[in-house]
Amino acid sequence: MKRAITRLFSKISSSDTSTTMSPGRFFVNSMSDLAQGELVKPLTEAVVKPTLNEMVNKITTKYKATLRNAEDGLYLGTAGIAYMFYHLSKIDALKEHREIYLQQAVDYIKPALELCLKKHVQKSDLPSFLLGNAGIYAIAAAIFNTQLDFSESTKNLNLYIEAGKICKNIEFLSCGSDELFVGRAGYLCGALWLQRELGHNFNQDDLYELCRVTVESGRNYAQRYNFPTPLMYSYYNVEYLGAGHGLASILFYVISVPGYIEANPKDARDIRASIDYLLSLQDSEGNFPTAMDEINSAHNELVHWCHGAGGTAYLFAKAYQIWNDQKYLDGIKRSADLIWKKGLLKKGPGLCHGIAGNGYVFLLLYRLTHDLKYLHRANCFFHFMYNDEFQKKARTPDNPYSLYEGLAGTACYVGDLLNPEKSEFPFCDIFS
């Protein structure tokens, strides 16, 4: 295992990406699934902790907390590394590293905050959660709160709250105002996360207004272009369906706002009908089209968090919690079976379009169902990232240390395997 880990880190730090690839987007899964009555072989701390330590050391050695590395927010920049350290600091099995992790979180959030001050952005870009300022403010508020620096925490929280006023405008962004990376869904995502992490209750009327505007926006777009669903959205003129930019994440964060569904029955009907429409698009293998213009495609090839089965699972999990309808859970299980078959992605180990992002679906289902099969599968995805086939043939991500494409997100997944009962894909918790 140690040698395999070293090869993974050596590969990621190498600029040579000329490795000959075998056909297809994924590695064939030859691992055995859990047989009925078979016990799960647990991942021990003796295996996981050295792996995680190597990973974290590689990130801090190769990706310094500098202004140059702070670009592109949580998704690719130092703010994402800061989040990783914050995430790891909350895992009980890693408590001996907590203070070090939190200090490193401070070190990595500081250049991101400095960039916010130095770099001029359009007012309409301020609420951007994954790619811009708002996400940086949110992570900073949480990190400084752990350091008992309540003045700095409150300052960043207030900056986050102020940014929310901008996205009450139904069309505050010309590219599409509702999606996760830069739009209203992302802002709601961060607000819900901050409520949990800080115990700060955002003004309910403000959150409800953002939900209402999001539903109105989707209703207007669906009616304007005569879509067969009550709500639809576009980002750069593409009607995406997955979690990255599309319907799945937008609806997920609206229905995650406490009380909104119950207080707004008309919106609830349209939201649920739109969720049911998305579920109806699931193909026989368990996957989903990337966008509306691919509905009639013979093959839905992208089995990712951002596009496909890996990201839609969270929407259906939340819908299952709210409406207790078995079809939503069945849809996730079909997706999980597909991910077990085709989710060992050649793109790398990351969250957005990598193995860790797909592995989180198994942890989600384990928490939902307590079925040990899904814990076994999550552990298997961990092991696969360190076998010879992956070491030799996986691609190097464009941003190999980042939260969503690289090792920082993988570290979150590996850390969560130490306590799967509390595991969560970053910012996608359905249990709080």
Side-chain angles (χ1 to χ4, degrees):
M1 174 68 75
K2 175 80 171 179
R3 186 174 60 185
I5 293 166
T6 303
R7 287 203 305 272
L8 174 65
F9 297 139
S10 174
K11 178 176 180 56
I12 287 179
S13 64
S14 171
S15 60
D16 178 14
T17 58
S18 61
T19 304
T20 301
M21 300 298 299
S22 59
R25 298 176 180 272
F26 59 92
F27 297 98
V28 174
N29 187 354
S30 60
M31 296 179 287
S32 297
D33 209 351
L34 191 70
Q36 187 171 1
E38 184 182 0
L39 297 177
V40 175
K41 185 178 180 181
L43 280 177
T44 65
E45 291 186 16
V47 171
V48 175
K49 284 186 175 182
T51 306
L52 190 59
N53 289 339
E54 289 266 0
M55 201 176 296
V56 168
N57 289 338
K58 192 70 177 183
I59 293 168
T60 55
T61 300
K62 296 292 184 178
Y63 198 75
K64 298 295 186 181
T66 64
L67 198 61
R68 179 180 179 182
N69 289 333
E71 294 279 359
D72 297 318
L74 282 168
Y75 190 81
L76 298 179
T78 60
I81 311 300
Y83 171 82
M84 176 202 74
F85 281 119
Y86 180 81
H87 185 101
L88 296 178
S89 76
K90 298 174 65 182
I91 297 172
D92 291 340
L94 302 173
K95 61 185 177 182
E96 70 269 24
H97 301 299
R98 185 175 186 271
E99 294 307 317
I100 294 173
Y101 285 159
L102 289 174
Q103 183 54 56
Q104 289 174 310
V106 172
D107 293 342
Y108 274 89
I109 200 62
K110 282 183 175 179
L113 289 170
E114 184 180 351
L115 188 65
C116 287
L117 292 173
K118 288 187 174 183
K119 186 176 181 180
H120 175 74
V121 297
Q122 297 292 327
K123 185 178 179 182
S124 59
D125 292 327
L126 290 175
S128 171
F129 186 68
L130 289 186
L131 290 180
N133 287 33
I136 294 168
Y137 299 148
I139 302 305
I143 290 170
F144 286 117
N145 185 65
T146 67
Q147 301 299 94
L148 306 182
D149 188 344
F150 300 123
S151 175
E152 192 67 22
S153 177
T154 301
K155 181 179 78 174
N156 283 283
L157 175 61
N158 288 337
L159 286 169
Y160 193 91
I161 293 170
E162 188 67 21
K165 298 176 183 178
I166 298 166
C167 50
K168 290 181 180 180
N169 179 346
I170 194 167
E171 294 182 353
F172 76 98
L173 288 173
S174 60
C175 60
S177 300
D178 302 288
E179 63 87 62
L180 176 61
F181 280 49
V182 298
R184 263 185 296 271
Y187 186 85
L188 284 171
C189 164
L192 293 171
W193 185 79
L194 282 168
Q195 283 196 158
R196 185 186 71 175
E197 298 302 310
L198 298 182
H200 171 83
N201 291 320
F202 279 67
N203 184 289
Q204 185 185 73
D205 290 341
D206 289 336
L207 293 185
Y208 279 21
E209 183 175 358
L210 291 175
C211 292
R212 180 190 60 76
V213 171
T214 302
V215 172
E216 181 184 353
S217 174
R219 192 178 285 134
N220 291 345
Y221 192 87
Q223 292 174 356
R224 186 183 315 139
Y225 295 102
N226 198 29
F227 281 103
T229 174
L231 306 176
M232 184 51 63
Y233 303 88
S234 73
Y235 184 58
Y236 286 102
N237 299 315
V238 179
E239 294 85 18
Y240 289 106
L241 296 171
H245 304 294
L247 192 66
S249 58
I250 295 169
L251 297 184
F252 171 76
Y253 288 108
V254 171
I255 66 174
S256 295
V257 172
Y260 185 76
I261 290 294
E262 294 78 7
N264 295 272
K266 182 177 182 243
D267 287 358
R269 285 193 297 272
D270 283 353
I271 290 168
R272 188 174 184 185
S274 301
I275 294 172
D276 289 349
Y277 174 74
L278 180 59
L279 183 60
S280 76
L281 299 179
Q282 189 173 36
D283 65 23
S284 59
E285 282 197 304
N287 207 19
F288 296 85
T290 297
M292 289 294 288
D293 59 359
E294 296 185 13
I295 285 179
N296 295 319
S297 173
H299 302 287
N300 299 319
E301 295 184 338
L302 301 184
V303 185
H304 303 168
W305 168 79
C306 51
H307 302 297
T312 58
Y314 300 92
L315 172 64
F316 296 128
K318 195 66 184 178
Y320 175 67
Q321 285 186 324
I322 293 171
W323 290 293
N324 195 31
D325 192 325
Q326 183 66 29
K327 68 184 179 184
Y328 299 126
L329 183 59
D330 291 342
I332 307 170
K333 290 180 177 180
R334 286 192 295 271
S335 291
D337 289 342
L338 169 69
I339 289 168
W340 177 245
K341 182 179 178 183
K342 295 185 176 182
L344 295 171
L345 301 177
K346 292 180 178 178
K347 282 194 169 187
L351 293 179
C352 188
H353 33 260
I355 292 176
N358 279 337
Y360 262 119
V361 174
F362 301 137
L363 291 176
L364 170 70
L365 268 171
Y366 174 65
R367 291 190 68 184
L368 271 175
T369 67
H370 308 292
D371 188 336
L372 291 174
K373 172 176 70 175
Y374 297 114
L375 180 58
H376 167 78
R377 289 178 174 184
N379 292 346
C380 284
F381 270 38
F382 164 80
H383 285 299
F384 183 83
M385 287 188 283
Y386 303 102
N387 76 13
D388 285 341
E389 186 177 14
F390 185 80
Q391 304 299 317
K392 294 174 181 177
K393 297 180 180 179
R395 295 181 178 93
T396 301
D398 292 337
N399 299 276
Y401 310 107
S402 64
L403 179 61
Y404 277 83
E405 289 189 3
L407 281 182
T410 312
C412 293
Y413 176 69
V414 172
D416 277 343
L417 290 172
L418 290 170
N419 192 4
E421 291 80 8
K422 293 183 179 179
S423 60
E424 62 179 79
F425 188 99
F427 313 110
C428 284
D429 180 36
I430 71 161
F431 299 98
S432 59

